[in-house]
């Protein structure tokens, strides 16, 4: 059995993902271990280099046994007799979403596992491979895009480390937007459990409606949106959550705020995202079975706070709208536009008053 050595390991700042570099007798690989120790664990891997003489063919049998094979000579761009990584020079740069990462040797990108690793035989990009192989694709053709992505990600995480007032800056941006929307802040609740990233829920009242809206959820972009919208994903990846209720239903605000707090961590816990039209089971309100997420930017009749862009990205709000079981079933079988067309007064669907707003 071959011996292996971990050259570097590090946890994602926001996701339950461990990155590590492993050297074996034949090769070095970069790994992202997703949800380790759970029932839905998964591992993404990408070849970095060979540590011994390159074989003529890929060892398919070794791959079937879960072993990391050496790269065949025809695809190797480094010395065919092998090379060694200097562990002291290695560093990991997490992408902004926290679910993908690049491996650098000093300032040189040598391997990248983006979020689309694991699809259609793709594992990641590596500097020392040419072409598309079962263990890695050549980095050269993707270097401009990946280089820009890594640079932006490094600047992003450096901002948290070197800007001591980053949360004060973020708080002010949200307070300005929300107090312009509903007036004076009445309550401020920390919902981060003293964990990074900081988050809060801010409450205010206007015209007999009580609003509770998160602040800080949009600090970190949500994972995996680009799998579905690779061209415009930066438009939708930062969002806040809001719940509005008529004052007569104030007793529901506290449990809904607890729900918003839990929901605010969901994308990074489950390596996914929340978006316009998504439905989630929710039975804490009698007579209602789920919530529907509605982005007012996509429904012109709906009100919405006006946020300043954050680090070049738009900031969205998703209204959390309780729906009955009948509406829940309809929404699962139809798209969001069809569901919204069943509303009696679409401008008020986000304000909970105890009634069903959808006529399906």
């Amino acid at each position: 059995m071959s011996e292996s050595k971990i050259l570097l390991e590090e946890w994602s700042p926001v996701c339950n993902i461990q990155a590590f570099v492993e050297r074996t007798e034949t090769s070095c690989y970069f790994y992202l271990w997703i949800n380790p120790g759970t029932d839905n664990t998964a591992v993404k891997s990408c070849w970095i280099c060979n540590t011994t003489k390159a074989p003529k063919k890929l060892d398919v049998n070794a791959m079937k046994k879960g072993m990391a094979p050496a790269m065949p000579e025809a695809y190797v761009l480094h010395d065919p007799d092998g090379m060694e990584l200097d562990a002291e020079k290695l560093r990991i740069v997490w992408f902004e979403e926290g679910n993908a990462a690049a491996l650098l040797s000093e300032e040189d990108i040598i391997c990248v596992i983006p979020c689309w690793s694991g699809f259609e035989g793709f594992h990641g990009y590596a500097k020392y491979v040419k072409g598309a192989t079962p263990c890695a694709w050549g980095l050269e053709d993707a270097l401009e895009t990946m280089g820009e992505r890594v640079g932006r990600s490094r600047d992003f995480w450096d901002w948290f480390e070197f800007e001591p007032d980053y949360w004060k800056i973020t708080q002010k941006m949200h307070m300005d937007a929300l107090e312009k929307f509903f007036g004076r802040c009445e309550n401020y609740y920390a919902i981060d459990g003293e964990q990074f990233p900081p988050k809060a829920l801010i409450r205010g009242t206007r015209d007999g409606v009580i609003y509770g809206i998160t602040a800080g959820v949009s600090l970190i972009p949500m994972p995996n949106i680009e799998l579905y919208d690779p061209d415009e994903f930066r438009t939708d990846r930062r969002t806040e959550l809001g719940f509005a209720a008529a004052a007569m239903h104030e007793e529901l605000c506290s449990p809904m705020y607890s729900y918003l707090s839990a929901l605010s961590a969901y994308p990074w816990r489950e390596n996914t995202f929340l978006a316009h039209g998504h439905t989630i089971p929710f039975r804490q309100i009698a007579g209602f079975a789920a919530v529907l997420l509605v982005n007012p930017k996509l429904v012109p009749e709906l009100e919405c706070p006006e946020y300043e862009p954050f680090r070049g990205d738009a900031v969205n709000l998703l209204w959390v709208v309780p729906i009955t079981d009948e509406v829940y079933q309809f929404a699962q079988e139809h798209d969001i536009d069809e569901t919204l067309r069943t509303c009696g007064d679409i401008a008020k669907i986000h304000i909970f008053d105890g009634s069903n707003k959808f006529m399906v």
Side-chain angles (χ1 to χ4, degrees):
M1 181 178 294
S2 63
E3 295 182 358
S4 65
K5 180 181 179 181
I6 302 301
L7 302 182
L8 176 67
E9 58 183 335
E10 185 177 304
W11 286 90
S12 165
V14 289
C15 297
N16 187 23
I17 300 176
Q18 185 183 33
F20 61 94
V21 178
E22 182 182 42
R23 182 202 183 281
T24 69
E25 291 181 353
T26 64
S27 55
C28 289
Y29 274 74
F30 186 35
Y31 293 94
L32 295 184
W33 189 7
I34 302 167
N35 299 321
T38 69
D39 292 336
N40 62 333
T41 188
V43 176
K44 296 184 177 185
S45 65
C46 185
W47 176 90
I48 305 170
C49 65
N50 288 345
T51 57
T52 189
K53 183 176 177 60
K56 295 298 182 182
K57 295 181 179 181
L58 189 68
D59 191 342
V60 177
N61 289 329
M63 293 181 67
K64 291 180 178 178
K65 295 177 182 178
M67 299 170 61
M71 186 66 68
E73 182 179 359
Y75 303 99
V76 174
L77 293 177
H78 62 66
D79 186 337
D81 289 330
M83 64 171 285
E84 292 292 342
L85 297 176
D86 185 342
E88 296 298 320
K89 295 180 180 179
L90 298 179
R91 64 170 298 194
I92 292 168
V93 175
W94 292 93
F95 282 19
E96 293 168 279
E97 300 85 350
N99 71 327
L103 178 68
L104 278 63
S105 178
E106 293 185 322
E107 298 301 312
D108 195 17
I109 301 172
I110 59 173
C111 191
V112 182
I113 299 182
C115 71
W116 52 92
S117 170
F119 292 89
E120 298 181 352
F122 171 77
H123 286 261
Y125 301 106
K127 175 182 178 179
Y128 299 115
V129 68
K130 58 183 175 182
T133 79
C135 304
W137 287 14
L139 176 62
E140 183 178 4
D141 291 342
L143 185 58
E144 181 177 355
T145 300
M146 291 296 103
E148 189 274 334
R149 189 72 173 268
V150 169
R152 190 171 71 233
S153 298
R154 185 159 50 180
D155 290 344
F156 176 67
W157 296 115
D158 283 350
W159 183 66
F160 292 106
E161 183 175 356
F162 299 113
E163 174 50 74
D165 292 328
Y166 77 86
W167 181 229
K168 290 182 179 179
I169 294 169
T170 305
Q171 282 178 315
K172 184 179 186 308
M173 183 192 82
H174 285 275
M175 291 296 292
D176 287 349
L178 295 182
E179 292 197 328
K180 184 178 179 181
F181 175 67
F182 56 52
R184 181 179 61 86
C185 165
E186 296 176 350
N187 300 97
Y188 179 101
Y189 308 100
I191 60 171
D192 51 43
E194 299 184 348
Q195 300 293 316
F196 180 84
K199 294 178 290 186
L201 188 140
I202 298 170
R203 169 179 157 140
T205 303
R206 189 193 72 199
D207 298 333
V209 177
I210 303 169
Y211 297 90
I213 298 175
T214 61
V217 179
S218 58
L219 264 175
I220 311 296
M222 294 182 292
N224 286 343
I225 289 182
E226 62 191 295
L227 295 179
Y228 302 89
D229 189 5
D231 297 322
E232 300 293 333
F233 70 96
R234 292 188 62 184
T235 301
D236 303 314
R237 67 179 187 160
R238 297 186 189 272
T239 196
E240 300 293 337
L241 301 168
F243 176 70
M248 68 184 72
H249 293 283
E250 184 173 3
E251 76 281 356
L252 294 176
C253 290
S254 181
M256 282 300 297
Y257 296 165
S258 295
Y259 178 69
L260 294 188
S261 175
L263 191 59
S264 72
Y266 180 83
W268 300 273
R269 186 178 66 246
E270 301 297 332
N271 197 25
T272 188
F273 61 94
L274 302 172
H276 181 63
H278 284 185
T279 55
I280 305 170
F282 178 81
R283 297 186 179 275
Q284 284 88 324
I285 300 177
F288 293 83
V291 293
L292 173 68
L293 305 183
V294 181
N295 187 337
K297 287 185 178 179
L298 302 177
V299 185
E301 297 89 344
L302 279 179
E303 60 182 356
C304 179
E306 296 182 7
Y307 296 101
E308 294 293 328
F310 180 72
R311 300 189 68 85
D313 293 346
V315 176
N316 299 274
L317 175 70
L318 291 173
W319 288 118
V320 178
V321 180
I323 55 176
T324 65
D325 187 64
E326 185 180 15
V327 178
Y328 183 31
Q329 296 301 320
F330 184 91
Q332 291 180 300
E333 297 169 2
H334 301 79
D335 65 28
I336 180 62
D337 292 334
E338 291 179 272
T339 302
L340 292 177
R341 278 196 288 269
T342 71
C343 296
D345 184 359
I346 197 168
K348 299 289 182 65
I349 61 167
H350 65 299
I351 301 174
F352 183 78
D353 61 6
S355 67
N356 173 25
K357 304 294 183 70
F358 302 82
M359 309 302 172
V360 298

